[in-house]
Amino acid sequence: MKSRRVGPPDGVYGWVVVASAFFVMGLTGAVLKNFSHFFLEIQSHFGVMTSTTSWVSSTTIAMFHIGAPAASALTLQFSQRAVIIVGGLVCTLGMLLASLDLSLPWLYLTMGVLEGTGISFSWIPAISMVNHYFSRWRPIAYAIASSGECVFAIVFSPLFKWLIEMYSWQGTLLIIGGLQFNLCVCGALMRPLEANWDASQKTSKEGAEENAAALPSKKKAVFQCCLLKKPELLLYILFAIFAAAGFFTPALYLVPFANSLGIDKYWPAFILSVMAVADLAGRLFCGWLANMRFLRNLQLLPTVTTLLGVVLLLLPIGHNYWSILVFASLYGFLFGCMVAIHVTSIVDIVSLEGFDSGLGLFMLFRSIGGFIGPPAGGWLVDQTNDYSAAFYLSGFCLITSAVFVVLVDFLVQRRKSAELSGHQTINQRGDGETGKVKGHTVTQEF
């Protein structure tokens, strides 16, 4: 019997997985990105402060991250398909219950805890599936899948604004819940890798090891907390915390900032749409650049993160629509570049075998930044009565986070150099022993 291909298939049904992940990203990340449309509506409805209102989106972001280890563990135990379907049901339930508008704490529970958990259970397995289906084309495959967030954000920004005007923010949440029910369809399309080839058909030890890395066996299907012993991952987690404190805040306060300058109606929504287009361009460009291997991911990541921080520090100097639009476009492009490679870089740190566990840990600790960032920005806005303070905080956090990635790259390269030196030493010893044996044999023949 002819053996089937082992290792990541790098295509074939993998592109169906990418298309499904594209819609998952759109129905989760794009919805979260457009929470800013509900910010002023909820604030005025309950008559509370900016920092109090920001806990709704902050709780969603936190649960999105805190639920990541559970999503990774369930993915290893069951399958990506099952976990995504559950995530879709939880998202739908959260938005349907939020539309009842019982109280602000009720929104913390529904829009926050339930929606955030549902997003986590949909997003994490989708990302895992794409990374396991691809090896050579992994960067561009992930870039295409994650671009669904941008494409849907372009559509959702004016759509949500129009729906809020037509059906109120409560009715809009109900409609969003119906849209997110389609996550179950996306999950159904996520065919487990076991259905693609028979893992028992191996022609060599090398093929077996490659397949084990791409498709963890039941023995390996355990969440690996021991990865926290790796200093590279710990530093990368610090990057995640500071970065999350920075890059979630601008999307939340951009619309209120534009409104505070007298820009109203649909223009702030148009800024978000343009930012989403720039985000899409950044993801595809950086995914292509990473795939060309001109630079290592861990070299490219601190560069775009630092530039992103600088743009956020400069954004508040714009006091008219066009200057804000330019800075928002730059922010969107660089944000897209950062998102395109910051998850796939985990493979460079913990290998593909540890990716699911590494992603879960990465997202768990990143929740600290996502949970603190928006309320901290809101507190600064309340204290200064100026939305610029939130952007200054975000820029500082992002520039700080880039330093940790530089340290991670240094440690990873040093580890690889040590491993290479060790292999060379072993080979030299092996060659020496072979030479002695050959020399002894020649002496016997003479």
Side-chain angles (χ1 to χ4, degrees), residues 204-215:
S204 67
K205 181 180 179 181
E206 181 181 355
E209 291 174 352
E210 183 181 2
N211 187 74
L215 180 59

PDB file of all heavy atoms in Angstrom, residues 204-215:
ATOM      1  N   SER A 204       9.448   6.138   7.547  1.00  0.00           N
ATOM      2  CA  SER A 204      10.741   6.400   8.166  1.00  0.00           C
ATOM      3  C   SER A 204      10.549   7.020   9.529  1.00  0.00           C
ATOM      4  O   SER A 204       9.493   7.543   9.849  1.00  0.00           O
ATOM      5  CB  SER A 204      11.585   7.334   7.291  1.00  0.00           C
ATOM      6  OG  SER A 204      10.997   8.612   7.247  1.00  0.00           O
ATOM      7  N   LYS A 205      11.620   6.972  10.327  1.00  0.00           N
ATOM      8  CA  LYS A 205      11.574   7.599  11.650  1.00  0.00           C
ATOM      9  C   LYS A 205      11.425   9.098  11.529  1.00  0.00           C
ATOM     10  O   LYS A 205      10.725   9.734  12.302  1.00  0.00           O
ATOM     11  CB  LYS A 205      12.852   7.249  12.402  1.00  0.00           C
ATOM     12  CG  LYS A 205      12.898   7.827  13.811  1.00  0.00           C
ATOM     13  CD  LYS A 205      14.183   7.434  14.498  1.00  0.00           C
ATOM     14  CE  LYS A 205      14.234   8.032  15.902  1.00  0.00           C
ATOM     15  NZ  LYS A 205      15.499   7.695  16.591  1.00  0.00           N
ATOM     16  N   GLU A 206      12.057   9.667  10.518  1.00  0.00           N
ATOM     17  CA  GLU A 206      11.968  11.119  10.294  1.00  0.00           C
ATOM     18  C   GLU A 206      10.541  11.532   9.986  1.00  0.00           C
ATOM     19  O   GLU A 206      10.032  12.537  10.498  1.00  0.00           O
ATOM     20  CB  GLU A 206      12.878  11.513   9.132  1.00  0.00           C
ATOM     21  CG  GLU A 206      12.876  13.009   8.840  1.00  0.00           C
ATOM     22  CD  GLU A 206      13.772  13.343   7.670  1.00  0.00           C
ATOM     23  OE1 GLU A 206      14.458  12.428   7.172  1.00  0.00           O
ATOM     24  OE2 GLU A 206      13.779  14.523   7.253  1.00  0.00           O
ATOM     25  N   GLY A 207       9.849  10.738   9.148  1.00  0.00           N
ATOM     26  CA  GLY A 207       8.456  11.029   8.834  1.00  0.00           C
ATOM     27  C   GLY A 207       7.571  10.931  10.063  1.00  0.00           C
ATOM     28  O   GLY A 207       6.664  11.715  10.251  1.00  0.00           O
ATOM     29  N   ALA A 208       7.865   9.967  10.926  1.00  0.00           N
ATOM     30  CA  ALA A 208       7.072   9.807  12.141  1.00  0.00           C
ATOM     31  C   ALA A 208       7.226  10.998  13.057  1.00  0.00           C
ATOM     32  O   ALA A 208       6.262  11.480  13.650  1.00  0.00           O
ATOM     33  CB  ALA A 208       7.500   8.523  12.862  1.00  0.00           C
ATOM     34  N   GLU A 209       8.465  11.491  13.196  1.00  0.00           N
ATOM     35  CA  GLU A 209       8.697  12.645  14.056  1.00  0.00           C
ATOM     36  C   GLU A 209       8.015  13.883  13.507  1.00  0.00           C
ATOM     37  O   GLU A 209       7.452  14.689  14.247  1.00  0.00           O
ATOM     38  CB  GLU A 209      10.197  12.894  14.197  1.00  0.00           C
ATOM     39  CG  GLU A 209      10.904  11.797  14.998  1.00  0.00           C
ATOM     40  CD  GLU A 209      12.412  11.990  15.008  1.00  0.00           C
ATOM     41  OE1 GLU A 209      12.884  12.875  14.269  1.00  0.00           O
ATOM     42  OE2 GLU A 209      13.092  11.253  15.743  1.00  0.00           O
ATOM     43  N   GLU A 210       8.042  14.050  12.178  1.00  0.00           N
ATOM     44  CA  GLU A 210       7.402  15.216  11.564  1.00  0.00           C
ATOM     45  C   GLU A 210       5.897  15.178  11.783  1.00  0.00           C
ATOM     46  O   GLU A 210       5.273  16.189  12.110  1.00  0.00           O
ATOM     47  CB  GLU A 210       7.724  15.227  10.068  1.00  0.00           C
ATOM     48  CG  GLU A 210       7.168  16.452   9.354  1.00  0.00           C
ATOM     49  CD  GLU A 210       7.475  16.412   7.881  1.00  0.00           C
ATOM     50  OE1 GLU A 210       8.073  15.423   7.429  1.00  0.00           O
ATOM     51  OE2 GLU A 210       7.091  17.357   7.176  1.00  0.00           O
ATOM     52  N   ASN A 211       5.305  13.998  11.630  1.00  0.00           N
ATOM     53  CA  ASN A 211       3.862  13.886  11.824  1.00  0.00           C
ATOM     54  C   ASN A 211       3.477  14.113  13.294  1.00  0.00           C
ATOM     55  O   ASN A 211       2.449  14.695  13.586  1.00  0.00           O
ATOM     56  CB  ASN A 211       3.390  12.503  11.377  1.00  0.00           C
ATOM     57  CG  ASN A 211       1.877  12.385  11.390  1.00  0.00           C
ATOM     58  OD1 ASN A 211       1.213  12.940  10.526  1.00  0.00           O
ATOM     59  ND2 ASN A 211       1.360  11.684  12.388  1.00  0.00           N
ATOM     60  N   ALA A 212       4.325  13.654  14.207  1.00  0.00           N
ATOM     61  CA  ALA A 212       4.038  13.831  15.630  1.00  0.00           C
ATOM     62  C   ALA A 212       4.017  15.299  16.000  1.00  0.00           C
ATOM     63  O   ALA A 212       3.241  15.733  16.839  1.00  0.00           O
ATOM     64  CB  ALA A 212       5.083  13.096  16.461  1.00  0.00           C
ATOM     65  N   ALA A 213       4.882  16.074  15.351  1.00  0.00           N
ATOM     66  CA  ALA A 213       4.905  17.517  15.623  1.00  0.00           C
ATOM     67  C   ALA A 213       3.675  18.199  15.055  1.00  0.00           C
ATOM     68  O   ALA A 213       3.112  19.099  15.660  1.00  0.00           O
ATOM     69  CB  ALA A 213       6.172  18.131  15.032  1.00  0.00           C
ATOM     70  N   ALA A 214       3.265  17.763  13.861  1.00  0.00           N
ATOM     71  CA  ALA A 214       2.120  18.412  13.214  1.00  0.00           C
ATOM     72  C   ALA A 214       0.805  17.971  13.829  1.00  0.00           C
ATOM     73  O   ALA A 214      -0.135  18.749  13.929  1.00  0.00           O
ATOM     74  CB  ALA A 214       2.117  18.084  11.717  1.00  0.00           C
ATOM     75  N   LEU A 215       0.754  16.723  14.260  1.00  0.00           N
ATOM     76  CA  LEU A 215      -0.504  16.166  14.771  1.00  0.00           C
ATOM     77  C   LEU A 215      -0.227  15.432  16.082  1.00  0.00           C
ATOM     78  O   LEU A 215       0.130  14.266  16.088  1.00  0.00           O
ATOM     79  CB  LEU A 215      -1.080  15.189  13.747  1.00  0.00           C
ATOM     80  CG  LEU A 215      -2.401  14.510  14.105  1.00  0.00           C
ATOM     81  CD1 LEU A 215      -3.481  15.545  14.344  1.00  0.00           C
ATOM     82  CD2 LEU A 215      -2.801  13.533  13.020  1.00  0.00           C
TER      83      LEU A 215
END
